[in-house]
Amino acid sequence: MRLFRKNKEIRISPKYYLLLQDKWAKKMSVLTSDLSKQSLVFYLILFILISTSISLYNVYSGFCTKEDKKRDVEISINSKHLIVTKPSLNMKNKNVLSKQEFENITSFKFYLDSLKQSKEGKKIYDSITNYRPGLLDSLVFIENYYKMN
């Protein structure tokens, strides 16, 4: 079983982007070759005005929300469906771990600490910390929790 699989994302080579850019530039040159300099400047200014107005409208609509939108959002979110209540458990009378389980956990932690002493053991310890990053934190948490109770 492979731990890391190749990313199956479709990637397009940059040379295709350059080819598309070149074709677009040639097509636009053909379309605008017969226009005068004044008309080119006019179309450029028109393009800048339209794109600027669209951008400013998007920024404005992002910052200014209408009251209707706020009311629709408040109506659509109903807190009764989001909160699920469960009966509380009385954990004080219940042992989470038996003494044998706790001893197994502490002996496993001792074993992990002993792996750091040798060179080959250090490799095993490093692979455990890399592939199971939360294991050591869980051991510390369980040990502290058991000692508190």
Side-chain angles (χ1 to χ4, degrees), residues 47-60:
F47 172 76
I48 290 172
L49 286 174
I50 291 172
S51 61
T52 304
S53 63
I54 290 172
S55 297
L56 289 175
Y57 174 75
N58 286 335
V59 169
Y60 174 76

Side-chain angles (χ1 to χ4, degrees), residues 24-42:
W24 180 260
K26 287 180 182 175
K27 182 72 172 176
M28 288 295 112
S29 294
V30 168
L31 288 176
T32 60
S33 63
D34 59 342
L35 295 176
S36 67
K37 189 173 184 176
Q38 280 183 334
S39 61
L40 287 175
V41 170
F42 171 74

Side-chain angles (χ1 to χ4, degrees), residues 133-148:
L135 180 65
L136 300 177
D137 296 333
S138 298
L139 288 174
V140 171
F141 176 76
I142 290 171
E143 188 176 9
N144 290 337
Y145 185 76
Y146 189 81
K147 287 178 181 177
M148 290 176 68

Side-chain angles (χ1 to χ4, degrees), residues 6-39:
K6 281 190 172 183
N7 191 1
K8 295 185 180 182
E9 184 177 308
I10 297 173
R11 299 202 183 258
I12 298 174
S13 175
K15 71 178 185 177
Y16 294 114
Y17 286 118
L18 292 175
L19 180 67
L20 184 64
Q21 183 181 15
D22 184 52
K23 286 190 178 209
W24 180 260
K26 287 180 182 175
K27 182 72 172 176
M28 288 295 112
S29 294
V30 168
L31 288 176
T32 60
S33 63
D34 59 342
L35 295 176
S36 67
K37 189 173 184 176
Q38 280 183 334
S39 61

Side-chain angles (χ1 to χ4, degrees), residues 88 102 123:
S88 63
F102 179 72
K123 289 180 184 178

